[in-house]
Amino acid sequence: MSAMSNSNFSRRSIFRAAAGMAAAGTLAACGSNNGRGGGSGGSGSGTPLTQYFHAYGEAGTEQALKRYAAAYKKANVSTNWITGNNFESALFAALLTSKAPDVFEFHPQLQLVKSGQVADLTDLIDPVKSDFNPNDIKSHTVDGKIYGIRMIDDPQFFYYRKSMLEKAKVDVPTTLDELIEAAAKLTTSKVKGVFLGNDFSAIQNPIIWSAGADTINEKNEIAYHTDGVVEGLKKLRTLWTSGNVLIDAPTDFWDPSSLNQGLCAIQWGGMWSMPAMQKALGDDLGIFPFPKIGSAGKLSVYNGGWSIFVNAKGKNVEAAKEYVKWLWIDQTQYQEDWATSYGFHIPPRTSIANKADKLKSGLPAEGVKLFTDYGHFDNIAYDQTMQTAFADVIASSVRKNGNPEAALDTCDKKVNVELKKLFG
């Protein structure tokens, strides 16, 4: 497994709205770079289909996807493997053109459903629905219909060097206060105590959940604006300015290099990095969930991941659905390969997860347990615009010295406009 290039955009970043795309209706603003380079033809005959994937960091992933596509003989499937940090803008710009992909990976987003951009895949999933993690069904369901098939679940948590914590006599933190204290004790002239990603946007959802709050609630109202979240933002500001945080790392949180190379003692990251970290650090590696914030706090784990969608506005919707069913429903050996042969991911299907021996013992099994005990899934209604608005809160009140309450008030206005668009 190789490290991602520095320019590569994380597929699991919480702040996935690199360009702040909102609804399909406003996607034209995403720029002219449509990222349609790097296509690779399939070996099938018949209907030509194009699929869009962002460049995964683990070695062998591009070859694997193209190998799966080449094994499908009912269509000629070509793969656009989009490198750099512009996957979202490339995808959304392409969806507005005649060169739009037939199949693409993304995250469940209500505005894609409301704008008619993604096809209803209920008929494909129904026969195996009970085999999927119920949360992965729920996060893709709108009015009883399922849009998109989960390919991988990607829990995110903290990794740490056991030897460094032992030497500094630091216990594994269970509260944000303890994390701040640990960062101070672990920082030396050569090592920073903790790495939370270069701009802290990677932890923007966990700080909400760890404060005992939520992004938006069951009634589709703002649920993140609480005293606990305000407290968390203030504490993160303290951490940001403490001198005990790795800020300008050569690669971001999705890459294991910072911990592997000894730049920090604790690093936020995803389960996908575990094989590379284990190879580098052996048994000197532990994991823990995002710690509690404030009196209402709860440990939390963000479950990122990617899903496959069919472009409902494409020229070959039925052929695309057939291909998606073949690969992501029928070909369970490819699904297991995709989840466990490159980085580690949790297969969304129970039958495949139960066979995934690599995840059954040691640290991978601990990762699965954290995912099970503390995991939070995507809310299909908490869209790009809302995520961008909350990322602005972190920019103004953590990286800069703005007032968290004022920043959240500004965020509320943007989020309420978006909620009104989606729900009236």
Side-chain angles (χ1 to χ4, degrees):
M1 174 181 181
S2 67
M4 280 181 161
S5 68
N6 191 24
S7 66
N8 215 333
F9 183 64
S10 159
R11 70 178 182 278
R12 312 89 172 178
S13 172
I14 307 297
F15 175 36
R16 295 175 303 226
M21 275 75 65
T26 59
L27 295 173
C30 296
S32 59
N33 183 352
N34 60 24
R36 288 199 296 275
S40 171
S43 63
S45 56
T47 311
L49 296 175
T50 302
Q51 58 180 358
Y52 266 41
F53 280 79
H54 84 283
Y56 286 63
E58 300 92 328
T61 45
E62 181 179 5
Q63 295 78 5
L65 265 178
K66 290 178 177 176
R67 189 171 71 246
Y68 308 154
Y72 185 65
K73 302 304 180 191
K74 290 178 83 175
N76 186 21
V77 183
S78 62
T79 303
N80 276 22
W81 188 255
I82 298 171
T83 58
N85 60 358
N86 65 336
F87 177 68
E88 279 81 356
S89 49
L91 169 64
F92 283 121
L95 287 172
L96 294 171
T97 71
S98 59
K99 303 278 189 185
D102 302 284
V103 173
F104 59 90
E105 68 170 357
F106 204 58
H107 317 281
Q109 295 269 298
L110 184 58
Q111 87 271 357
L112 290 175
V113 176
K114 294 254 181 182
S115 64
Q117 188 70 69
V118 291
D120 174 4
L121 303 183
T122 313
D123 57 328
L124 308 190
I125 299 175
D126 261 348
V128 292
K129 184 177 171 182
S130 61
D131 191 35
F132 275 85
N133 184 317
N135 291 301
D136 281 324
I137 295 294
K138 184 184 175 187
S139 64
H140 292 70
T141 300
V142 179
D143 296 332
K145 294 177 180 176
I146 304 165
Y147 298 85
I149 301 172
R150 195 64 148 183
M151 300 181 292
I152 44 176
D153 284 327
D154 276 338
Q156 297 176 16
F157 31 64
F158 281 107
Y159 289 93
Y160 67 97
R161 299 279 292 266
K162 290 180 179 177
S163 58
M164 288 184 180
L165 268 69
E166 281 163 21
K167 190 179 174 187
K169 296 185 170 56
V170 169
D171 291 327
V172 172
T174 59
T175 68
L176 186 54
D177 286 331
E178 288 172 5
L179 182 68
I180 293 168
E181 286 166 30
K185 288 180 185 169
L186 291 162
T187 297
T188 68
S189 58
K190 293 178 182 168
V191 180
K192 292 294 186 185
V194 66
F195 180 44
L196 291 149
N198 281 324
D199 63 4
F200 281 28
S201 62
I203 56 157
Q204 68 179 60
N205 281 14
I207 66 170
I208 294 171
W209 297 319
S210 278
D214 205 350
T215 51
I216 50 180
N217 64 21
E218 298 268 319
K219 296 177 181 172
N220 298 310
E221 300 161 339
I222 287 168
Y224 58 76
H225 194 153
T226 67
D227 292 344
V229 171
V230 170
E231 182 183 335
L233 292 165
K234 287 176 179 172
K235 285 179 176 167
L236 287 173
R237 173 66 186 169
T238 303
L239 194 54
W240 179 266
T241 56
S242 65
N244 304 323
V245 180
L246 182 63
I247 302 284
D248 48 3
T251 57
D252 214 335
F253 82 100
W254 36 257
D255 185 283
S257 303
S258 292
L259 194 77
N260 287 0
Q261 294 171 7
L263 302 182
C264 60
I266 299 172
Q267 175 180 338
W268 182 252
M271 191 151 154
W272 60 85
S273 292
M274 201 177 276
M277 285 184 166
Q278 287 185 303
K279 190 176 177 185
L281 304 172
D283 292 334
D284 190 24
L285 185 65
I287 55 174
F288 63 91
F290 201 95
K292 301 172 188 177
I293 300 170
S295 56
K298 296 173 183 175
L299 300 173
S300 75
V301 168
Y302 174 60
N303 174 40
W306 288 78
S307 309
I308 202 77
F309 297 91
V310 169
N311 178 8
K313 297 178 178 179
K315 299 183 188 109
N316 302 298
V317 176
E318 289 310 313
K321 283 178 67 175
E322 261 190 78
Y323 168 65
V324 163
K325 177 184 182 295
W326 175 83
L327 180 51
W328 298 109
I329 299 287
D330 301 340
Q331 302 304 311
T332 53
Q333 77 277 20
Y334 289 155
Q335 292 158 41
E336 183 177 355
D337 180 65
W338 187 240
T340 60
S341 295
Y342 310 100
F344 285 160
H345 316 269
I346 298 175
R349 292 177 67 176
T350 310
S351 60
I352 299 173
N354 286 346
K355 285 192 304 182
D357 290 339
K358 291 176 184 176
L359 306 182
K360 284 189 176 169
S361 61
L363 204 63
E366 282 184 48
V368 172
K369 183 161 174 36
L370 291 186
F371 162 86
T372 306
D373 292 350
Y374 306 114
H376 289 264
F377 288 70
D378 284 311
N379 182 326
I380 195 169
Y382 192 61
D383 68 14
Q384 302 294 114
T385 303
M386 301 180 201
Q387 292 168 49
T388 305
F390 198 88
D392 290 344
V393 172
I394 295 196
S396 66
S397 63
V398 176
R399 299 202 300 274
K400 296 176 191 153
N401 197 23
N403 180 310
E405 277 289 1
L408 286 168
D409 288 341
T410 303
C411 181
D412 291 351
K413 286 175 188 163
K414 294 175 187 169
V415 172
N416 277 324
V417 167
E418 195 65 12
L419 287 171
K420 196 163 187 204
K421 271 190 217 165
L422 290 173
F423 301 106

